[in-house]
């Protein structure tokens, strides 16, 4: 899983090919061991690959599965990490409410884990890159920050939602709307 994450982060066609070979190995491990841990790692790796290939909706579904599996086996840190990635995918598909929920859940788990550490380790843990990323996302999604950035306040429709609403008002069916919006 870690190798897949690092390889995908390089964002080159060659790295995606290597990452797919990591996915094949994770599939084999998941089939061999049939554990929630192996399945969660596979789902998380697939999320990274799908997002790198610009399929954020499918990536979000993989990370939802990973979150669920990590939670089931009580791997809280892994669950929080997957929630952070899920928030990123939800941002890419324009679901700010779900994005906010994912980031806040990740932040709450990280905070809970931090309370279990001694003060020195707690400071290091709280300053780690995954936690900083989640905290920045939570801050960026705060109502005051969103209004300052021109994003609609909580409860307001996004541009995409307004676009869908206009098409509904024109009498288009769900299938026609999906086709027109390339969904």
């Amino acid at each position: 899983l870690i190798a897949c994450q690092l390889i995908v982060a390089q964002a080159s066609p060659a790295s995606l090919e290597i990452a797919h070979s990591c996915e094949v190995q994770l599939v084999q491990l998941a089939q061999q061991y049939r554990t929630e841990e192996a399945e969660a790692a596979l789902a998380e790796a697939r999320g990274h690959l799908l997002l790198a290939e610009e399929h954020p909706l499918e990536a979000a579904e993989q990370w939802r599965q990973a979150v669920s599996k990590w939670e089931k086996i009580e791997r809280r840190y892994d669950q929080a990490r997957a929630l952070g990635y899920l928030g990123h995918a939800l941002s890419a598909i324009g679901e700010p409410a779900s994005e906010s929920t994912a980031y806040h859940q990740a932040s709450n788990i990280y905070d809970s884990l931090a309370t279990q550490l001694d003060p020195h380790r707690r400071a290091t843990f709280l300053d780690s890159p995954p936690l900083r990323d989640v905290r920045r996302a939570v801050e960026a999604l705060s109502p005051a920050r969103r209004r300052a950035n021109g994003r609609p306040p909580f409860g307001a429709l996004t541009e995409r939602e307004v676009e869908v609403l206009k098409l509904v008002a024109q009498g288009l069916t769900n299938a026609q709307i999906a086709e027109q919006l390339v969904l």
Side-chain angles (χ1 to χ4, degrees):
L1 172 60
I2 293 169
C4 185
Q5 291 169 333
L6 293 173
I7 293 166
V8 168
Q10 294 175 6
S12 73
S15 66
L16 282 179
E17 188 175 319
I18 295 168
H20 276 288
S21 67
C22 288
E23 177 192 22
V24 169
Q25 291 177 350
L26 284 169
V27 167
Q28 292 169 347
L29 290 171
Q31 290 172 344
Q32 179 181 355
Y33 294 105
R34 298 189 189 279
T35 64
E36 295 288 333
E37 182 178 33
E39 291 175 14
L42 176 59
E44 201 169 327
R46 284 181 170 157
H48 287 288
L49 283 165
L50 287 163
L51 192 63
E53 293 171 337
E54 299 182 8
H55 301 289
L57 188 61
E58 293 88 348
E61 182 53 38
Q62 290 297 314
W63 279 316
R64 280 188 181 103
Q65 290 178 28
V67 166
S68 176
K69 291 178 186 309
W70 290 130
E71 181 179 27
K72 184 176 179 181
I73 60 175
E74 299 179 6
R75 296 273 299 264
R76 304 281 290 155
Y77 179 82
D78 296 314
Q79 179 187 0
R81 183 190 61 238
L83 279 163
Y85 293 132
L86 173 58
H88 186 67
L90 293 168
S91 173
I93 58 178
E95 291 189 22
S98 298
E99 171 191 3
S100 179
T101 299
Y103 282 132
H104 277 91
Q105 287 176 343
S107 181
N108 290 339
I109 292 170
Y110 284 139
D111 288 343
S112 172
L113 292 172
T115 64
Q116 301 171 29
L117 300 172
D118 66 65
H120 174 70
R121 289 191 173 138
R122 183 178 306 130
T124 303
F125 178 73
L126 291 172
D127 193 42
S128 65
L131 275 74
R132 283 195 314 254
D133 291 345
V134 165
R135 293 206 191 291
R136 273 195 297 268
V138 167
E139 183 181 317
L141 290 167
S142 73
R145 176 66 66 94
R146 288 177 62 178
R147 281 190 294 276
N149 290 338
R151 294 182 76 176
F154 182 76
L157 296 177
T158 64
E159 288 180 35
R160 185 66 152 189
E161 290 166 332
V162 170
E163 190 176 358
V164 170
L165 190 56
K166 287 178 181 176
L167 295 172
V168 168
Q170 293 175 12
L172 273 66
T173 66
N174 288 345
Q176 291 169 325
I177 293 170
E179 184 178 314
Q180 187 162 342
L181 297 177
V182 192
L183 297 173

